[in-house]
Amino acid sequence: MKNQKLPLAITTLILTILLSSAYMIKGHRTQTPEQKPAAASYKWTGAWQPSRISAEDGITALDIKIGKFINLPKEELAQVIFNVNNRFPGSKSWAFWAVGDMSGLTPGHNGLTEAQHEAYLNYMDLLGVAVFLEIFPSKKTSTNILTEIDRWLGKFKHHPSVAGFGIDLEYYEKASDAAAKTWDDKIKSYNPAYRLFIRHYDPGFMPPTYRGKGDLIFVDFASEATVEDLSKGFAAWANRFAPTACAFQIGYPADEDGMNGSNTLGWWKLKNPVTDWGNMILAQIKNPKQELGLIWVTAKSAKTYHQSWDLTRGAKLPKAKK
């Protein structure tokens, strides 16, 4: 037995075990790609119709600081939508599409005419944008939401771009389970594939338990704080309602600079505001499988130090469908 060598295969096996044990003792852990935590991503990205232009420098009066609505030509509106969408490869382009009376909003606005809606939606059909018609019910005017759903889906349901309907609750009341079911059922009576979104910045305004077919979308449009604080709030919203789909409406004029009018704060300070802010939120989402959406608001800036902010040009649009 003297000087007898172990078979090569056994020697190799022993060395491999010893090396692996030593590596683990030092606190190292091997990690395969499958072990890495999955990251959240956006299913939909796009913009609001109408868009907004921000106020001038140094404004602190909120009614002015929130900017003005603008009705862009349909080609420029498409640029805004895809300038946001291009920043998140793999996401689907979408738009929240205001219809009906907007005079009671702050700021008030004269929206598109019905003829303009038709022309714009025809264009969105060609570009494959998913459009969610939206209304702004008010307790002051006793808005009948079901009547408004019938009115607008009755007019525009023939557009393949229309993917659902949204209800903004800022001027209304909390959504009860019964109310949310009634709205959802009405929308799906036009097309079972239509989805309902409900929007507010207070999670208490969302229906307590109703989730329908599991395809509701809860939209948070919080504003008037720092980018960091708003991001935490958006992520908390999504984490609270997971696995329900959630969306974040960001990039308001009020948040472009500081609430005190300081140009040392705000989303304009980010290197790439849409991408950087959107990713800041994603990094805090716990459920990587949750459906998430992003809507950007400010298309143009009136700040002297931010004149380059103009989303109405430079986007890559998809080839129009025939």
Side-chain angles (χ1 to χ4, degrees), residues 105-124:
L105 305 185
T106 303
H109 181 64
N110 293 321
L112 301 176
T113 66
E114 290 187 19
Q116 287 174 317
H117 279 304
E118 277 291 347
Y120 281 49
L121 288 172
N122 281 335
Y123 192 49
M124 297 300 124

Side-chain angles (χ1 to χ4, degrees), residues 215-271:
D215 59 357
L216 270 65
I217 306 171
F218 291 170
V219 182
D220 184 353
F221 72 124
S223 181
E224 301 158 30
T226 66
V227 169
E228 292 76 16
D229 285 345
L230 288 170
S231 298
K232 291 178 183 177
F234 291 131
W237 175 283
N239 293 332
R240 169 174 176 160
F241 290 119
T244 298
C246 289
F248 319 113
Q249 193 155 328
I250 70 173
Y252 277 89
D255 307 316
E256 184 179 14
D257 59 356
M259 290 305 296
N260 61 355
S262 169
N263 67 0
T264 62
L265 299 170
W267 56 258
W268 90 278
K269 296 289 290 181
L270 299 174
K271 183 177 181 180

Side-chain angles (χ1 to χ4, degrees), residues 158-178:
H158 59 283
H159 288 282
S161 57
V162 174
F165 203 92
I167 301 171
D168 182 286
L169 299 179
E170 183 177 9
Y171 301 94
Y172 200 56
E173 59 191 30
K174 295 180 179 181
S176 66
D177 287 333

Side-chain angles (χ1 to χ4, degrees), residues 60-138:
T60 58
L62 187 57
D63 285 356
I64 301 174
K65 188 175 178 60
I66 58 178
K68 299 177 181 178
F69 284 116
I70 48 175
N71 289 331
L72 296 171
K74 62 182 185 295
E75 295 81 7
E76 291 188 9
L77 175 61
Q79 287 284 323
V80 177
I81 293 169
F82 283 96
N83 257 318
V84 178
N85 180 250
N86 290 167
R87 286 165 165 80
F88 298 97
S91 64
K92 178 172 178 53
S93 61
W94 74 341
F96 288 178
W97 200 274
V99 292
D101 183 9
M102 300 178 68
S103 62
L105 305 185
T106 303
H109 181 64
N110 293 321
L112 301 176
T113 66
E114 290 187 19
Q116 287 174 317
H117 279 304
E118 277 291 347
Y120 281 49
L121 288 172
N122 281 335
Y123 192 49
M124 297 300 124
D125 293 342
L126 297 175
L127 296 178
V129 177
V131 171
F132 281 69
L133 307 178
E134 65 167 328
I135 58 171
F136 305 83
S138 171

Side-chain angles (χ1 to χ4, degrees), residues 187-218:
I187 291 165
K188 285 180 168 54
S189 70
Y190 285 88
N191 185 332
Y194 283 168
R195 299 181 71 162
L196 167 68
F197 83 67
I198 305 173
R199 182 172 60 209
H200 204 276
Y201 52 83
D202 181 345
F205 273 69
M206 299 299 103
T209 61
Y210 180 76
R211 300 296 182 266
K213 295 170 58 179
D215 59 357
L216 270 65
I217 306 171
F218 291 170

Side-chain angles (χ1 to χ4, degrees), residues 99-101 114 133-138 141-156 165-167 172 179 182-187 189-190:
V99 292
D101 183 9
E114 290 187 19
L133 307 178
E134 65 167 328
I135 58 171
F136 305 83
S138 171
T141 58
S142 302
T143 307
N144 188 313
I145 293 178
L146 296 181
T147 298
E148 288 295 288
I149 292 173
D150 279 330
R151 176 185 177 188
W152 296 108
L153 285 181
K155 290 180 183 294
F156 301 135
F165 203 92
I167 301 171
Y172 200 56
T182 301
W183 304 335
D184 196 26
D185 289 344
K186 171 62 74 173
I187 291 165
S189 70
Y190 285 88

